[in-house]
Amino acid sequence: MKTIYVDNAATTKMSKTAISAMMPYLEENYGNPSSLHTVGQLAQEALVKARMEVAECLGADVKEIYFTSGGSESDNQALLTAAELGERKGKKHIISQKTEHHAILHALNKLEKRGFEITLLDVDGDGLVTAEQVKNAIREDTVMVTIMTANNEIGTIMPIKEIAAVCKEKGVLFHTDAVQAVGHIPVDVKELGCDMLSLSAHKFHGPKGVGALYVRKGLFPSTLIEGGAQERGRRAGTENIAGICAMAAAMKEAVAKLGENAEKLTKMRDRLIEGLGEISHSVLNGSRTQRLPGNVNMCFEGIEGESILLLLDAKGICASSGSACTSGSLDPSHVLLAIGRPHEVAHGSLRLSLCEENTPEDMEFIIKSVKEVVDYLRKMSPVWQDLQEGKRKYVIQ
Ligand SMILES: *Cc1c(COP(=O)(O)O)cnc(C)c1O
């Protein structure tokens, strides 16, 4: 049976280019870049080159790139940076929004316990926040605004440039979690105007456990991990050279092929939205237009997301019901609740996140399979029975 992997928002398969870029640093060039001998210096050179490549992909300067262990660490480091700055300046208010990744939301909870006041903006039915909302929420004591570039569950792309401009005008730091955006849609830090930006290699065919934080010149990141002088003293620990080189290679490749891949993914995405939209009492989650090229997220009334996933898996389709982080818990997605889906509907969600290895034939197979699975599950669902007999009202028309 062919496996159709459509869970690329959870993680991606490493590209051949990324694997080849990493191998020399696992085999012969295994040195520590802090060592003065030749083997160490080869690693040091690789680190310098990778930093240049990552910087170039983002339109940043090499001095503005800090390597981390991934998106979660970058997000935490960005928030800590703002928090320490805020504590020094007596500004203890941070603005974010309800559909952020848990790496942001849980780190904000921690800052709340540390005495910060957190404002979480509401999103509209598409999952969007406006620059106007941000502007109205900024106060005298606001130190930072953090809004994600693109949502990992529903694929909504936020108006980051406009939000960053408002923050700049008000003299407030702006960070964006661009983990789902880098390598998928154009991301240029200077053009966006952000002060900090998080990214993670395994979301664009690089390895897991490596990422970066962009920090604008003139701003110094706080140290989340204390120890040696790596990353200009801001992030201790012997560098993950193999991972960093693979990330740089994957990023270069993703950015070079971005236009071509986005076009291909958009076509497949739109076919899925069209085909799955034929299922009665189904709804697309997220914006129809401000949307990541490879993201489809839908709710089907009367069924549980988990059971759809198991039956699709049996057909070789690897999908998700939302974020990888909430699966396993019985709570419906905070993102779907934030866009106004009621609990019972939020439970019946399906996320399909595509990559360029998927084919138009895969899309047809997915549409056919989801239709069969939804049909099958509805036949057994007491909730669906009630809906059909008029004992209960449809939430999705
Ligand atoms: C995956 C993801 C993260 C976490 O990145 P890791 O590298 O897995 O720690 C953070 N934010 C968003 C939006 C993500 O999709």
Side-chain angles (χ1 to χ4, degrees):
M1 187 173 63
K2 183 186 174 187
T3 298
I4 300 177
Y5 184 83
V6 281
D7 198 14
N8 289 280
T11 196
T12 58
K13 173 173 152 183
M14 272 184 78
S15 71
K16 293 270 185 296
T17 317
I19 294 173
S20 331
M22 128 181 270
M23 290 317 287
Y25 303 95
L26 297 173
E27 291 176 340
E28 60 274 19
N29 303 343
Y30 49 81
N32 184 326
S34 302
S35 302
L36 293 178
H37 49 64
T38 312
V39 179
Q41 287 313 295
L42 284 173
Q44 173 62 23
E45 277 167 27
L47 187 62
V48 169
K49 180 165 165 273
R51 201 183 304 276
M52 263 169 50
E53 291 172 345
V54 168
E56 203 173 293
C57 286
L58 296 172
D61 188 87
V62 282
K63 292 203 182 74
E64 298 173 316
I65 303 298
Y66 295 84
F67 292 127
T68 66
S69 67
S72 301
E73 187 186 326
S74 296
D75 283 346
N76 275 266
Q77 193 172 16
L79 294 194
L80 183 70
T81 301
E84 291 191 348
L85 193 77
E87 278 166 351
R88 280 201 301 279
K89 291 189 169 179
K91 292 185 170 191
K92 300 186 76 174
H93 178 233
I94 297 174
I95 300 168
S96 188
Q97 59 86 27
K98 290 187 175 162
T99 72
E100 290 292 314
H101 190 272
H102 283 134
I104 293 288
L105 293 176
H106 292 173
L108 286 174
N109 286 343
K110 202 164 150 188
L111 290 182
E112 203 165 24
K113 292 196 187 92
R114 190 167 155 169
F116 281 82
E117 199 185 319
I118 313 294
T119 299
L120 287 186
L121 300 173
D122 284 322
V123 294
D124 69 8
D126 283 349
L128 283 161
V129 158
T130 63
E132 187 71 17
Q133 276 177 284
V134 173
K135 192 172 186 171
N136 293 338
I138 293 176
R139 316 187 309 210
E140 277 296 297
D141 62 342
T142 307
V143 63
M144 172 165 84
V145 172
T146 175
I147 308 276
M148 69 202 320
T149 308
N151 186 272
N152 47 304
E153 292 190 33
I154 57 174
T156 298
I157 301 171
M158 299 286 195
I160 294 304
K161 203 171 160 179
E162 289 74 16
I163 294 172
V166 160
C167 294
K168 193 166 186 185
E169 183 194 315
K170 298 270 189 180
V172 173
L173 284 181
F174 179 63
H175 165 258
T176 186
D177 173 339
V179 173
Q180 290 289 334
V182 172
H184 301 279
I185 56 171
V187 174
D188 181 299
V189 290
K190 297 293 182 288
E191 204 182 303
L192 289 177
C194 54
D195 297 298
M196 293 187 272
L197 178 143
S198 304
L199 64 93
S200 176
H202 76 101
K203 302 290 174 76
F204 51 80
H205 303 289
K208 295 164 191 50
V210 59
L213 177 66
Y214 156 81
V215 182
R216 179 209 10 106
K217 215 174 280 172
L219 184 65
F220 298 96
S222 296
T223 52
L224 194 62
I225 299 178
E226 304 287 346
Q230 294 91 353
E231 300 302 302
R232 288 180 296 281
R234 304 291 164 170
R235 201 279 184 181
T238 303
E239 300 85 344
N240 174 6
I241 299 294
I244 289 167
C245 291
M247 170 166 70
M251 203 165 162
K252 253 172 72 176
E253 191 177 32
V255 168
K257 290 188 187 161
L258 197 143
E260 181 193 330
N261 285 344
E263 199 186 318
K264 191 175 166 192
L265 263 58
T266 303
K267 276 199 192 119
M268 292 193 284
R269 175 197 76 187
D270 291 347
R271 172 63 191 128
L272 279 183
I273 293 174
E274 176 196 44
L276 298 177
E278 288 166 6
I279 297 174
S280 70
H281 304 282
S282 66
V283 67
L284 178 71
N285 297 312
S287 167
R288 185 64 189 81
T289 52
Q290 305 304 108
R291 186 174 199 99
L292 285 174
N295 175 288
V296 177
N297 187 315
M298 299 193 66
C299 284
F300 306 101
E301 187 144 11
I303 46 178
E304 293 278 333
E306 306 281 294
S307 40
I308 309 179
L309 295 185
L310 292 176
L311 293 173
L312 287 179
D313 189 39
K315 293 175 185 285
I317 300 169
C318 306
S320 139
S321 65
S323 89
C325 326
T326 45
S327 55
S329 91
L330 288 173
D331 297 336
S333 141
H334 69 288
V335 175
L336 296 180
L337 295 180
I339 62 168
R341 301 279 176 253
H343 272 73
E344 66 270 30
V345 170
H347 271 302
S349 70
L350 174 68
R351 179 185 72 182
L352 304 162
S353 44
L354 315 178
C355 88
E356 57 283 4
E357 282 195 2
N358 298 130
T359 66
E361 294 73 49
D362 292 347
M363 301 306 113
E364 298 311 316
F365 182 70
I366 292 170
I367 292 168
K368 179 174 157 276
S369 305
V370 174
K371 282 180 175 172
E372 283 168 13
V373 163
V374 169
D375 233 28
Y376 174 78
L377 289 170
R378 279 178 173 173
K379 281 201 182 98
M380 305 194 306
S381 157
V383 172
W384 185 249
Q385 279 303 320
D386 287 355
L387 285 164
Q388 289 203 303
E389 288 163 15
K391 289 185 196 153
R392 204 189 252 259
K393 278 203 164 53
Y394 288 107
V395 180
I396 306 173
Q397 294 313 314

